[in-house]
Amino acid sequence: MSAGNCWRNITMESNEIIVETKDLVKTYPGGIKAVQGINLKIMKGQIYGFLGPNGAGKSTTIKMLSTSIKPTSGTATILGYDIVKDSMNVRRVIGVVPQDLTTDEDLKGIENIEMVARFYDIPRKEARSKAEELLSLVDLSEFGNKYVSSYSGGMRKRLELVVGLVHSPQVLFLDEPTLGLDVQTRTKMWDYIRKIRDDLGVTIILTSHYLEEVDSLADLISIIDHGKIIVTGTSDELKSNLKGDIIQVEFSSEEDARKFGEYGNKIDVSYPHPNEARMKVKDADTELPDIMKYLVANEIKPLKLSVHRPSLDQVFLEYTGREIREEESGDVRRSELNMRRLRR
Ligand SMILES: Nc1ncnc2c1ncn2[C@@H]1O[C@H](COP(=O)(O)OP(=O)(O)OP(=O)(O)O)[C@@H](O)[C@H]1O
Ligand SMILES: [Mg+2]
């Protein structure tokens, strides 16, 4: 099976469906309903993000789509290939970076890529130039001949990212691409992920339980919980469904805060501290000039004023009834375990 170079043929047609699922279900032995009927369409060139807490069914969905496990029922196609009946063709056009690390730390970076290239029957010379190209893509060129055991956690994750690209796939699955990395290293990884989409035209499907990650990266987000997609939309669409911005103002007295709270055109108001008011309005940009006039007319001087737009945290809370951060104890524990693996 020769991969060829699919990348060169890519035209960015965003209306072309790359992944489509119909009522996809996975029930594990023991009756664990990990995925309970997922329907979605992913278009060419998109970065599509599954956002959900631990155990939501993200990895199970990725594993089914990438043909490593079979669905219990339902169907899915990748570039028109059925994930069960046509799994060989699916594997040819997809790359997968699983949640667990797969690179061999007893090999050098370049050897890891070449080893995977051999699985795809890529000729040795082609494999070497592909490995060099991929290492350069994630700024690892000068570390290609170093053993992976000497890599930092971030470097190893970067290597993992490009190992999945060795056969020039058109679709890349990234299961928790930044789990266990610190915030700075994580944001650098986002740049590499964007580069893979922008420079290589690869459609990317990623899972994450980091709100900031899907907010920053994904063109389309599906919030997944208990094996079901709760809502799908762009980050802005999801946030705008919450209807309203928060204007938070601090005053020198309780009386001023209360007077401010009497402003008419608001959705509601609360007082986190006696001298401080949190006012929800439909749109802060259009409301602020009138609010300023109201303050002047009533001779109220604010000490501090800030505007907060809805965050994805609030979206998650709204749709699932709980905060994604409530789940973090398990996540942090697992991240630490993962970091130990990354450091080993
Ligand atoms: N091989 C398996 N056998 C039985 N149950 C499983 C198996 N793999 C996952 N599960 C269960 O299926 C549910 C969904 O798990 P999955 O790994 O898909 O979630 P996830 O969203 O990827 O979570 P995480 O954020 O922890 O990676 C969980 O209840 C999990 O315990
Ligand atoms: Mg998972």
Side-chain angles (χ1 to χ4, degrees):
M1 178 175 51
S2 175
N5 198 339
C6 312
W7 288 339
R8 307 248 149 79
N9 301 326
I10 284 176
T11 48
M12 298 286 281
E13 290 166 44
S14 60
N15 57 356
E16 188 184 328
I17 297 171
I18 294 284
V19 179
E20 186 165 14
T21 75
K22 290 197 181 113
D23 301 324
L24 206 57
V25 169
K26 180 71 189 180
T27 308
Y28 285 115
I32 299 160
K33 293 179 175 170
V35 171
Q36 305 192 56
I38 280 187
N39 292 291
L40 56 83
K41 281 185 189 147
I42 300 173
M43 315 307 273
K44 187 169 198 160
Q46 265 182 343
I47 298 183
Y48 193 100
F50 283 110
L51 173 70
N54 292 143
K58 305 182 295 293
S59 293
T60 303
T61 305
I62 296 285
K63 283 178 191 164
M64 284 191 281
L65 293 177
S66 58
T67 78
S68 76
I69 58 172
K70 282 195 178 138
T72 307
S73 63
T75 57
T77 54
I78 316 268
L79 276 107
Y81 299 121
D82 185 282
I83 55 166
V84 178
K85 293 180 205 140
D86 240 343
S87 58
M88 283 304 282
N89 275 324
V90 170
R91 277 178 217 155
R92 201 170 46 81
V93 296
I94 65 165
V96 189
V97 182
Q99 187 164 337
D100 293 322
L101 299 170
T102 58
T103 50
D104 187 337
E105 55 189 358
D106 296 327
L107 293 179
K108 294 171 181 172
I110 198 156
E111 291 171 343
N112 265 285
I113 303 178
E114 287 173 332
M115 188 178 72
V116 177
R118 278 201 290 282
F119 287 130
Y120 288 98
D121 288 338
I122 297 171
R124 193 180 282 263
K125 219 170 153 193
E126 203 183 305
R128 170 58 56 130
S129 69
K130 176 57 85 180
E132 282 166 357
E133 183 191 331
L134 292 174
L135 287 168
S136 146
L137 185 80
V138 287
D139 298 321
L140 282 177
S141 293
E142 53 182 303
F143 300 97
N145 277 313
K146 299 239 176 341
Y147 284 98
V148 171
S149 51
S150 69
Y151 282 22
S152 68
M155 285 162 70
R156 183 137 186 216
K157 278 286 202 183
R158 265 143 68 194
L159 179 66
E160 296 273 334
L161 193 61
V162 290
V163 164
L165 291 171
V166 74
H167 55 301
S168 313
Q170 296 187 49
V171 184
L172 182 65
F173 291 98
L174 304 175
D175 198 358
E176 305 278 357
T178 65
L179 185 72
L181 298 180
D182 60 60
V183 177
Q184 275 162 330
T185 317
R186 211 188 291 160
T187 52
K188 270 198 200 148
M189 280 290 280
W190 298 347
D191 291 337
Y192 292 118
I193 292 170
R194 275 191 210 99
K195 208 158 125 189
I196 290 169
R197 191 272 302 273
D198 296 345
D199 295 0
L200 308 178
V202 175
T203 304
I204 295 178
I205 296 138
L206 60 88
T207 76
S208 183
H209 49 251
Y210 296 126
L211 292 153
E212 319 81 75
E213 185 152 290
V214 288
D215 201 1
S216 160
L217 272 181
D219 301 305
L220 207 56
I221 299 166
S222 281
I223 293 181
I224 175 168
D225 199 17
H226 302 302
K228 289 182 184 152
I229 290 180
I230 313 279
V231 63
T232 299
T234 64
S235 175
D236 282 347
E237 280 167 358
L238 296 179
K239 288 174 191 168
S240 73
N241 280 349
L242 291 186
K243 292 190 182 66
D245 297 333
I246 302 285
I247 299 175
Q248 188 145 346
V249 197
E250 199 183 312
F251 299 93
S252 57
S253 72
E254 189 173 342
E255 196 191 335
D256 281 356
R258 295 281 155 183
K259 184 81 195 150
F260 170 71
E262 286 164 19
Y263 174 76
N265 200 16
K266 61 181 183 280
I267 296 172
D268 63 50
V269 65
S270 61
Y271 302 90
H273 302 288
N275 293 1
E276 202 174 341
R278 257 174 88 88
M279 188 177 288
K280 191 169 181 181
V281 296
K282 205 167 159 210
D283 177 7
D285 289 343
T286 55
E287 212 58 51
L288 265 174
D290 285 344
I291 285 179
M292 297 319 279
K293 276 185 215 154
Y294 177 83
L295 289 171
V296 172
N298 288 280
E299 296 177 351
I300 325 171
K301 286 203 184 93
L303 296 178
K304 206 167 120 190
L305 186 149
S306 54
V307 175
H308 306 270
R309 310 217 179 260
S311 68
L312 220 45
D313 289 79
Q314 286 160 278
V315 174
F316 193 85
L317 179 66
E318 175 93 2
Y319 283 102
T320 66
R322 63 211 154 78
E323 290 183 17
I324 197 166
R325 303 201 188 282
E326 284 172 14
E327 312 284 336
E328 265 192 354
S329 49
D331 159 36
V332 168
R333 200 192 59 239
R334 273 179 3 141
S335 297
E336 281 166 0
L337 284 172
N338 212 353
M339 275 314 281
R340 277 210 287 279
R341 286 197 62 195
L342 286 169
R343 283 196 207 103
R344 263 209 327 249

